[in-house]
């Protein structure tokens, strides 16, 4: 690892340790947990859209799939470790199949959007229609629009009696997000990540260089879906119930808005956008004067008009302007002082 | 006799009623430098795209070093060791010169080797001062030069360039000529070109396209003085 990578890791760890310690003084850990989970979901789309150029209208489908895989297997296994792993792997596998179909089919961006949207819709409709007693997977009843309640939530691996909940669950989710964030960082610094960004910039050129663009997009797409699946599983364990609304198009649209508002093409932006907007929605939910979808729409419009690159890049630019000046000036002043005496 | 590295037989491409490439039989020998010329719309780029896999020909075959590559995808063709530059610039605008060239090098070499080769090409093409600049901020001639860097960094044995000198200053063209001569030391080269000055300065054998067909194929001097060629092509300018 080179020095900038090491510095990156250290900064990430220090800043997140501070945030993990400070935030519970401001917001309840129960709410923070779901904000973290949404942050992870935002990051999952931020990875494939912001760095891979793949705009997926169905990221909620992967979130929902992860949640359902977790719930169904947790009912059957009665322990949470395997279900967590399955939630990631099966979701990623599903995305790999879907992605291979789309990318090897040389679909244009518009059709890609349409297909991911339709897949989300089909999953939503299908799960909604599984109310009857014939829809059973092992011991788990699908339950249609009522969803699946009462499954095993997160426990200490190997000890189903030792539930991880409350503050402890908050810390687990926070650490999970940090690990995922560092993995994404590593991925983007690797050759694979740099090539993915090249593909985002110019697919034709990358193909003419000799890269199998379809294969690489499929892998990236599956990785993003795997992260969304993990977020879904953590969400299921937090909410203690999964319902088809997880697959709703509204949810997919919100993830896209998180990325735009937070800043596409950054790792932090989608996390900040997700947590920030989800918290805003939570606050708005506590009052009934203004319709909160209206506010969400307004926030999006304001950002698209005034901060089109998103919050994080804007703050970054501001930081560079103010701090960058000082950093450049300070040594000069010090030198002058040294010369004078 | 030298080995044939690129061959097309009966290559035909139809767009609806338009026959953009019409039964083209083409042969390129090892280390040969060949120019394709012809008026606008003659089918040069279409031929080029069929060879590189950007288009799948309606009829006919493409062979590279004897292997039938008809219908291959561009990345498969490139993976054989073929360097390709399309007529419209194809570069990564938001990435630096260094990153652009490194990405090309990385396809065939490990990260360290890719880095070393990228440095070499940057020196060779005098791109040092702009190595960290994003492609989007460069002048047209510089972008063309970077794209050429992408093509040569992997030492391809076959180089296909569609109008590499288009829109370049005289100085840039001179530099391009030098680089192309350099390439021919180890590779076979096909260049689609418009600029007559440029062709005179580099070409030996020239293939003239007209209405999708090969009108003539001969030494550049004889092509330039040929009556038919002058009529269909040069006549317009003279
Ligand atoms: N994708 C396409 N669809 C329909 N017609 C095309 C397409 N590409 C090229 N053509 C037609 O094929 C002919 C040859 O074009 P092209 O190969 O670009 O010529 P050149 O490169 O020699 O200027 C032109 O008449 C052009 O209009
Ligand atoms: Mg052309």
């Amino acid at each position: 690892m080179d020095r900038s990578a090491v510095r990156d890791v250290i900064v990430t760890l220090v800043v997140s340790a501070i945030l993990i310690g400070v935030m519970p003084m401001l917001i309840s850990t129960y709410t923070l947990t779901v904000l973290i989970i949404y942050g992870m979901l935002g990051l999952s789309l931020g990875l494939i859209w912001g760095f891979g150029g793949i705009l997926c209208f169905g990221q909620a489908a992967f979130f929902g799939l992860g949640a359902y895989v977790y719930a169904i297997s947790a009912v059957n296994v009665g322990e949470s470790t395997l279900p967590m792993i399955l939630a990631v792997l099966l979701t990623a596998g599903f995305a790999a199949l879907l992605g291979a179909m789309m990318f090897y089919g040389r679909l244009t961006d518009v059709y890609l959007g349409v297909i991911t949207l339709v897949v989300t819709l089909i999953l939503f409709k299908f799960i909604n229609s599984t109310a009857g007693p014939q829809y059973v997977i092992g011991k788990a009843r699908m339950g249609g629009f009522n969803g699946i309640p009462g499954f095993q939530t997160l426990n200490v691996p190997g000890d189903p009696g030792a539930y991880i909940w409350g503050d402890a669950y908050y810390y687990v989710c926070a650490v999970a997000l940090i690990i995922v964030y560092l993995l994404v960082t590593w991925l983007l610094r690797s050759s694979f990540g740099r090539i993915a960004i090249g593909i985002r910039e110019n697919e034709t050129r990358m193909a003419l260089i000799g890269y199998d663009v379809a294969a690489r997009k499929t892998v990236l797409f599956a990785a993003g879906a795997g992260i969304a699946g993990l977020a879904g599983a953590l969400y299921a364990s937090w909410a203690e119930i999964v319902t088809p609304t997880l697959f709703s198009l509204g949810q997919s649209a919100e993830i896209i808005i998180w990325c735009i508002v937070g800043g596409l093409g950054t790792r932090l932006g989608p996390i900040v956008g997700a947590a920030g907007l989800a918290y805003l929605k939570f606050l708005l939910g506590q009052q009934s004067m203004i319709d909160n979808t209206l506010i969400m729409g307004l926030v999006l419009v304001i950002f698209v008009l005034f901060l089109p690159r998103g919050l994080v890049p804007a703050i970054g630019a501001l930081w560079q302007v103010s701090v960058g000046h000082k950093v450049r000036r300070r040594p000069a002043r010090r030198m002058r002082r040294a010369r004078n005496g | 006799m030298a080995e044939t590295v690129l061959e097309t037989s009966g290559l035909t491409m139809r767009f609806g009623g338009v026959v953009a490439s019409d039964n083209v039989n083409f042969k390129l020998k090892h280390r040969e430098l060949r120019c394709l010329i012809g008026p606008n719309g003659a089918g040069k780029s279409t031929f080029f795209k069929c060879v590189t896999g950007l288009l799948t020909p309606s009829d006919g075959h493409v062979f590279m070093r004897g292997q039938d590559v008809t219908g291959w995808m561009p990345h498969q063709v490139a993976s054989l060791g073929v360097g390709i530059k399309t007529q419209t610039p194809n570069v990564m605008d938001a990435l630096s010169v260094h990153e652009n060239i490194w990405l090309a090098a990385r396809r065939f070499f490990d990260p360290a080797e890719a880095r070393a080769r990228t440095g070499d090409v940057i020196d060779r093409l005098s791109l040092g001062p702009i190595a960290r600049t994003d492609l989007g901020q460069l002048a047209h001639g510089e972008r063309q030069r970077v794209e050429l860097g992408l093509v040569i960094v992997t030492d391809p044995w076959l180089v296909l360039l569609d109008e590499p000198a288009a829109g370049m200053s005289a100085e840039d063209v001179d530099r391009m000529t030098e680089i192309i001569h350099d390439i021919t030391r180890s590779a076979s080269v096909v260049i689609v070109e418009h600029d007559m000055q440029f062709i005179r300065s580099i070409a030996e054998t020239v293939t003239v396209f007209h209405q999708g067909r090969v009108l003539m194929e001969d030494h550049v001097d004889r092509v330039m003085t040929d009556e038919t060629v002058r009529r269909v092509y040069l006549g317009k300018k003279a």
Side-chain angles (χ1 to χ4, degrees):
Chain A
M1 266 203 296
D2 59 81
R3 272 174 56 197
S4 72
V6 173
R7 199 190 55 197
D8 222 31
V9 170
I10 292 172
V11 169
T12 303
L13 291 178
V14 170
V15 170
S16 37
I18 293 172
L19 283 175
I20 291 172
V22 170
M23 288 313 282
M25 297 174 202
L26 309 170
I27 306 172
S28 77
T29 52
Y30 183 73
T31 308
L32 279 176
T33 305
V34 77
L35 296 184
I36 288 171
I37 291 168
Y38 283 153
M40 192 184 290
L41 180 56
L43 179 60
S44 76
L45 181 64
L47 173 64
I48 65 169
W49 186 18
F51 295 98
I54 306 164
L55 173 51
C56 170
F57 280 98
Q59 203 67 8
F62 302 136
F63 184 64
L65 214 56
Y68 264 84
V69 168
Y70 176 83
I72 292 166
S73 45
V75 167
N76 284 295
V77 178
E79 206 266 351
S80 68
T81 313
L82 181 65
M84 275 289 164
I85 294 167
L86 283 179
V88 175
L89 293 184
L90 289 184
T91 308
F94 176 77
L97 286 178
L98 180 67
M101 224 176 62
M102 296 189 302
F103 301 130
Y104 279 99
R106 301 208 216 182
L107 293 189
T108 58
D109 291 347
V110 178
Y111 285 102
L112 201 132
V114 171
I115 288 197
T116 52
L117 204 121
V118 168
V119 166
T120 314
L121 216 72
I122 291 173
L123 280 173
F124 177 68
K125 290 271 180 213
F126 169 69
I127 306 240
N128 241 327
S129 70
T130 57
Q134 71 273 32
Y135 293 103
V136 178
I137 300 178
K139 287 185 258 174
R141 275 194 57 181
M142 293 295 286
F145 51 83
N146 290 319
I148 308 173
F151 45 83
Q152 172 83 14
T153 57
L154 193 70
N155 56 253
V156 176
D159 185 0
Y163 292 104
I164 299 173
W165 61 284
D167 285 356
Y169 193 59
Y170 159 70
Y171 291 115
V172 167
C173 288
V175 169
L177 178 58
I178 294 168
I179 292 172
V180 169
Y181 181 84
L182 289 176
L183 282 175
V184 167
T185 304
W186 167 78
L187 185 78
L188 291 174
R189 277 175 175 272
S190 71
S191 293
F192 179 86
R194 287 165 76 175
I195 291 162
I197 293 170
I199 291 172
R200 175 194 73 188
E201 286 302 311
N202 193 332
E203 254 178 60
T204 309
R205 177 29 91 194
M206 293 302 275
L208 290 175
I209 285 172
Y211 290 110
D212 187 346
V213 169
R216 285 173 178 277
K217 284 174 97 168
T218 303
V219 171
L220 187 71
F221 191 63
I227 296 171
L230 175 63
L234 291 172
Y235 182 89
S237 181
W238 172 83
E240 299 181 15
I241 182 168
V242 294
T243 61
T245 50
L246 290 171
F247 294 95
S248 70
L249 290 182
Q251 177 82 58
S252 272
E254 245 172 73
I255 306 171
I256 290 171
I257 296 174
W258 295 342
C259 288
I260 294 172
V261 168
L264 212 54
T266 66
R267 288 160 295 155
L268 209 53
I271 301 176
V272 171
L277 288 181
Y279 188 58
L280 181 67
K281 193 175 168 187
F282 166 78
L283 292 178
L284 291 169
Q286 294 179 332
Q287 52 87 45
S288 52
M289 270 180 21
I290 332 166
D291 180 43
N292 69 31
T293 41
L294 203 71
I295 302 273
M296 283 297 168
L298 205 63
V299 169
L300 177 65
V301 170
I302 288 174
F303 268 84
V304 168
L305 287 180
F306 298 107
L307 283 181
R309 289 180 56 215
L311 198 60
V312 167
I315 292 174
L318 210 68
W319 174 270
Q320 242 164 29
V321 168
S322 58
V323 178
H325 269 302
K326 273 182 217 148
V327 168
R328 238 174 290 132
R329 246 185 251 145
R330 221 181 272 143
R333 218 179 289 148
R334 212 180 295 141
M335 244 193 292
R336 214 179 303 131
R337 221 177 290 141
R339 231 182 289 133
N340 292 346
Chain B
M1 217 182 102
E3 174 202 10
T4 300
V5 291
L6 172 65
E7 180 174 1
T8 71
S9 67
L11 193 74
T12 303
M13 185 74 211
R14 295 182 207 95
F15 297 111
V18 182
V19 187
S21 190
D22 191 359
N23 194 26
V24 175
N25 298 304
F26 180 91
K27 264 187 187 175
L28 184 75
K29 290 196 200 76
H30 176 60
R31 286 196 51 201
E32 184 180 349
L33 168 66
R34 181 77 64 90
C35 283
L36 308 185
I37 65 168
N40 250 325
K44 306 180 296 290
S45 292
T46 302
F47 171 76
F48 189 90
K49 285 176 190 164
C50 287
V51 168
T52 53
L54 287 164
L55 288 172
T56 307
S58 321
D59 250 314
H61 289 271
V62 181
F63 300 93
M64 285 182 180
R65 283 181 166 172
Q67 188 168 16
D68 190 344
V69 301
T70 318
W72 281 25
M73 309 260 284
H75 79 264
Q76 295 172 307
V77 173
S79 296
L80 288 175
V82 180
I84 303 160
K85 185 207 165 296
T86 54
Q87 182 172 354
T88 45
N90 257 317
V91 287
M92 281 67 84
D93 272 336
L95 304 180
S96 69
V97 170
H98 188 280
E99 186 74 3
N100 267 271
I101 297 174
W102 181 87
L103 283 170
R106 181 70 184 90
R107 171 62 187 84
F108 295 100
F109 304 102
D110 65 48
E113 173 78 11
R115 233 180 122 83
R117 280 175 172 264
T118 303
D120 286 349
V121 165
I122 284 176
D123 289 345
R124 210 166 129 199
L125 301 187
S126 333
L127 295 167
I130 52 169
R132 297 290 159 188
T133 312
D134 287 350
L135 265 279
Q137 293 168 2
L138 297 183
H140 178 72
E142 290 170 323
R143 285 159 58 91
Q144 296 267 59
R145 202 147 28 105
V146 174
E147 196 166 2
L148 199 65
L150 291 181
V151 171
I152 62 174
V153 72
T154 52
D155 284 340
W157 54 267
L158 174 61
V159 176
L160 308 169
L161 308 170
D162 196 347
E163 305 206 8
M168 278 187 155
S169 67
E171 188 195 341
D172 281 331
V173 171
D174 283 349
R175 187 144 38 182
M176 177 74 73
T177 311
E178 223 172 276
I179 297 163
I180 288 170
H181 275 304
D182 218 29
I183 298 173
T184 52
R185 261 182 241 162
S186 56
S188 317
V189 182
V190 178
I191 299 176
V192 174
E193 196 42 75
H194 242 72
D195 188 306
M196 274 303 150
Q197 200 65 41
F198 182 60
I199 288 168
R200 275 204 195 89
S201 70
I202 62 166
E204 291 153 29
T205 314
V206 170
T207 303
V208 186
F209 276 67
H210 182 51
Q211 294 178 345
R213 290 186 207 174
V214 176
L215 181 72
M216 182 180 182
E217 191 170 279
D218 209 332
H219 190 272
V220 60
D221 297 335
R222 277 186 291 276
V223 167
M224 294 292 174
T225 51
D226 186 86
E227 270 311 307
T228 326
V229 173
R230 292 186 78 86
R231 205 173 56 244
V232 303
Y233 184 40
L234 306 170
K236 285 178 191 170
K237 283 187 182 171

